[in-house]
Amino acid sequence: LGSMKYLVEHLEEGLEEWCSLEYRHMSQFVPAERLIFTKFPEATFEKITKDASPVLHSQSLEQLKLTGVIDWERTCLLDMEASEELTPEDAGKFDVVVAGGILGNVHENEDGSYASDDRTAEVRQVGFAHRRHLGPLQMTTDTALLTSFRVLDQGLTLQEIPFVDEPEIDCGEGACTEMKGFRYVGRRGADGEWEPVLPEGMRELMAKSMDDDILDNL
């Protein structure tokens, strides 16, 4: 335990505020030398935080694969379509865990159910010998990394991690955003009730974005 690298392929155009909040959150629980971003649009991490300096690559994962920098046989893609779930035993099987678009964009079907555009396909097509899922619901990228960290670095099974599914997030002044189709790592709030672990500043951003569809951005 303690040597796993966590790689995030940046799939967005530019660096939106919600994305910066998620990336800063990741840097708060994954040590900088073990947190890697590919296709990163900036030369440094300073626009996000000056408190961490993760490994940044302007090249895509596909380009890095050709350089031999990453041992592909020891690399695992987090993928909702994988047949096996991530387990603590995987810490001894892999050196790098890759997240990219694991959440997709959640949308409502005509029958009222929710589905996701398969953003992971953008990374999956690079070709992975190993893939693992984190359960049936969508996760924001920082939640996927936090969940993976709990499993691989802290030795918890998915069943041992407290999750909060489809929470209503209080945005203040009686307003809330319902995160349909999403799963978050949970923690006890000040009132003793379970609440989702969110990046610092995300509630405020959601409140500011109440007129937009935040699910299209996360």
Side-chain angles (χ1 to χ4, degrees):
L1 297 179
S3 62
M4 184 67 63
K5 291 181 171 61
Y6 298 85
L7 187 152
V8 178
E9 176 97 326
H10 182 73
L11 297 178
E12 311 302 325
E13 292 293 330
L15 201 56
E16 298 285 345
E17 185 178 357
W18 63 268
C19 196
S20 294
L21 294 179
E22 289 190 0
Y23 287 178
R24 184 177 65 185
H25 186 210
M26 296 172 196
S27 73
Q28 291 169 342
F29 58 83
V30 178
E33 68 276 8
R34 295 202 278 130
L35 180 58
I36 304 167
F37 291 93
T38 54
K39 285 181 68 177
F40 198 72
E42 301 285 337
T44 72
F45 210 61
E46 289 189 358
K47 281 188 178 179
I48 295 173
T49 179
K50 292 183 172 62
D51 296 331
S53 299
V55 180
L56 307 178
H57 293 282
S58 59
Q59 307 102 306
S60 68
L61 191 59
E62 189 168 20
Q63 290 168 322
L64 284 179
K65 182 180 180 181
L66 299 175
T67 68
V69 170
I70 297 173
D71 183 350
W72 217 245
E73 288 301 313
R74 301 271 302 173
T75 299
C76 177
L77 175 67
L78 298 176
D79 189 347
M80 288 187 72
E81 292 193 357
S83 58
E84 296 181 56
E85 70 178 34
L86 192 71
T87 68
E89 289 71 33
D90 287 327
K93 299 175 183 177
F94 309 127
D95 298 325
V96 182
V97 168
V98 176
I102 189 169
L103 64 156
N105 287 328
V106 177
H107 55 84
E108 189 171 2
N109 294 321
E110 290 183 3
D111 63 1
S113 64
Y114 286 80
S116 168
D117 298 328
D118 186 15
R119 294 298 302 279
T120 307
E122 297 178 41
V123 181
R124 189 188 301 121
Q125 53 88 26
V126 176
F128 288 85
H130 309 287
R131 298 186 297 156
R132 296 288 190 272
H133 70 77
L134 299 176
L137 290 177
Q138 305 296 301
M139 290 182 178
T140 59
T141 312
D142 62 306
T143 300
L145 242 66
L146 179 56
T147 301
S148 302
F149 188 83
R150 293 275 177 93
V151 172
L152 299 171
D153 267 69
Q154 298 178 352
L156 299 176
T157 65
L158 291 177
Q159 292 71 34
E160 291 172 325
I161 299 172
F163 288 116
V164 178
D165 293 344
E166 302 187 322
E168 287 192 359
I169 297 174
D170 182 5
C171 296
E173 297 182 5
C176 66
T177 297
E178 189 174 2
M179 304 305 294
K180 280 288 189 181
F182 278 91
R183 167 172 285 178
Y184 289 86
V185 174
R187 67 181 174 199
R188 293 287 187 184
D191 59 0
E193 297 296 320
W194 287 104
E195 65 179 21
V197 175
L198 298 173
E200 184 181 343
M202 187 61 79
R203 285 182 196 273
E204 291 77 9
L205 179 60
M206 287 179 172
K208 193 168 65 176
S209 308
M210 286 297 288
D211 292 337
D212 304 326
D213 190 345
I214 194 71
L215 298 187
D216 285 343
N217 294 321
L218 284 177

